[in-house]
Amino acid sequence: FADAWSIYSLIKYFEPIKIAEVGTFIGKSTWSMAKALDELKNKSIIYTCDNSNNLIIPWKGKTEIKQFPKMTSKDMFNQIGDKIDFLFLDGRISQDDINILGNLLHLKSIIAIDDFEGMEKGVANLFALRRMELLKNHFLIYPCKQNDLQKLGFSSHSLTAVLIPTSLIELSRQG
């Protein structure tokens, strides 16, 4: 639940219009992002794929969800014509994906990476993304700590890290 809340909160804060998700699985993250987008009242779209299943998400909101069941991320990326504002990686990406993402991401694109611990796919994805020149000025924010989540009332943990363009980070003086 904490991961769903994390991704929902990121969408509410950054207000992206075009989102791509790798790894639909059961649609929990897709649903969380779509719910946040609907609350923002912007015309938005989520592109989502999962190579391992063909689940269709029963979504009735105003956010468009374009699903690519039983399709690789490379094939989905090749069908997206516009730049994407937010990329959510809950599946492992390949070098082919990196090559295509160079044309889909822009300087202010935000990238959320799930399963960011140890040698899981999220860490492998970060290493692949860090080779992209476009992302050289993105700052990595680690998943929220368990004790901080507990203070917010969550009993689950989060493994969602985020790459944010440094141009979107503002420091303010406290006190």
Side-chain angles (χ1 to χ4, degrees):
F1 189 71
D3 277 321
W5 172 80
S6 296
I7 199 79
Y8 168 89
S9 298
L10 287 167
I11 298 303
K12 288 285 283 197
Y13 185 81
F14 289 108
E15 301 184 15
I17 302 297
K18 292 185 175 80
I19 297 174
E21 174 187 35
V22 175
T24 311
F25 192 52
I26 61 171
K28 180 179 71 172
S29 297
T30 313
W31 190 279
S32 298
M33 292 186 289
K35 176 73 173 141
L37 290 169
D38 271 15
E39 290 175 8
L40 292 170
K41 298 179 177 28
N42 297 326
K43 183 168 174 40
S44 305
I45 186 166
I46 300 172
Y47 303 94
T48 184
C49 70
D50 197 308
N51 193 37
S52 63
N53 71 36
N54 60 357
L55 172 85
I56 301 299
I57 299 169
W59 178 251
K60 302 253 190 248
K62 68 178 178 12
T63 297
E64 180 182 356
I65 298 176
K66 176 108 172 95
Q67 292 186 250
F68 297 87
K70 285 288 196 182
M71 186 177 286
T72 66
S73 47
K74 175 186 164 192
D75 292 335
M76 179 186 73
F77 290 151
N78 278 324
Q79 292 189 39
I80 299 173
D82 297 326
K83 298 280 187 182
I84 54 177
D85 306 310
F86 193 94
L87 174 64
F88 180 56
L89 297 175
D90 193 8
R92 186 126 186 205
I93 56 174
S94 69
Q95 185 58 47
D96 288 337
D97 293 319
I98 296 296
N99 295 338
I100 299 166
L101 284 171
N103 295 321
L104 289 178
L105 298 173
H106 55 78
L107 290 173
K108 292 191 176 185
S109 294
I110 296 156
I111 302 165
I113 307 168
D114 197 24
D115 300 314
F116 194 82
E117 70 174 345
M119 289 307 298
E120 295 292 327
K121 64 187 173 203
V123 176
N125 285 339
L126 175 67
F127 282 114
L129 291 165
R130 282 296 192 200
R131 292 193 293 264
M132 295 179 66
E133 183 67 21
L134 181 69
L135 302 179
K136 70 179 181 181
N137 290 319
H138 276 61
F139 182 79
L140 177 67
I141 298 175
Y142 286 85
C144 191
K145 293 179 182 175
Q146 179 69 32
N147 59 345
D148 292 332
L149 287 168
Q150 287 174 343
K151 290 176 188 172
L152 294 169
F154 293 100
S155 58
S156 59
H157 65 286
S158 176
L159 297 177
T160 304
V162 188
L163 278 171
I164 297 179
T166 54
S167 63
L168 297 181
I169 298 172
E170 294 181 14
L171 300 176
S172 61
R173 208 167 169 189
Q174 298 293 313

